[in-house]
Amino acid sequence: MARVTFGLGAAALAGLFLMSVPAAAQGSQRERRENVAQSRPRIVIHPRHYKPGPNAKRHCRFWLAKQIWPNGQPVITPQMRCWWQ
């Protein structure tokens, strides 16, 4: 009977420990996400030669293009062209 009680007590302690570990890990992940979000710089895009109106939007077009690198190998690279409208 003493062995059964000891076994149940050990199992209960192990269960409590395992339940508390994910909560601590989640808290640290949340703190990391908040720290990363605070350390990211905010990017503001200002046009150089064109003064858009107050309701202007920046439109971008994306595509993939084949480029030949100096070693002669063809490589697919992302391309982007943006404009204010």
Side-chain angles (χ1 to χ4, degrees):
M1 182 101 163
R3 283 186 175 176
V4 173
T5 306
F6 177 74
L8 291 176
L13 284 175
L16 288 174
F17 176 73
L18 291 175
M19 286 174 38
S20 65
V21 170
Q26 287 175 359
S28 63
Q29 287 175 354
R30 186 179 316 121
E31 290 171 4
R32 264 190 240 131
R33 272 190 249 128
E34 289 174 0
N35 290 340
V36 169
Q38 291 173 357
S39 65
R40 283 189 189 151
R42 181 178 167 95
I43 298 173
V44 179
I45 300 170
H46 298 285
R48 291 185 186 183
H49 306 291
Y50 174 68
K51 299 285 187 187
N55 296 327
K57 292 185 180 178
R58 186 171 185 247
H59 297 275
C60 295
R61 192 180 82 124
F62 303 93
W63 69 95
L64 297 175
K66 180 178 160 184
Q67 291 184 344
I68 305 296
W69 281 21
N71 65 1
Q73 179 124 7
V75 177
I76 304 276
T77 58
Q79 305 288 318
M80 180 174 73
R81 176 112 349 124
C82 296
W83 65 94
W84 290 92
Q85 207 172 30

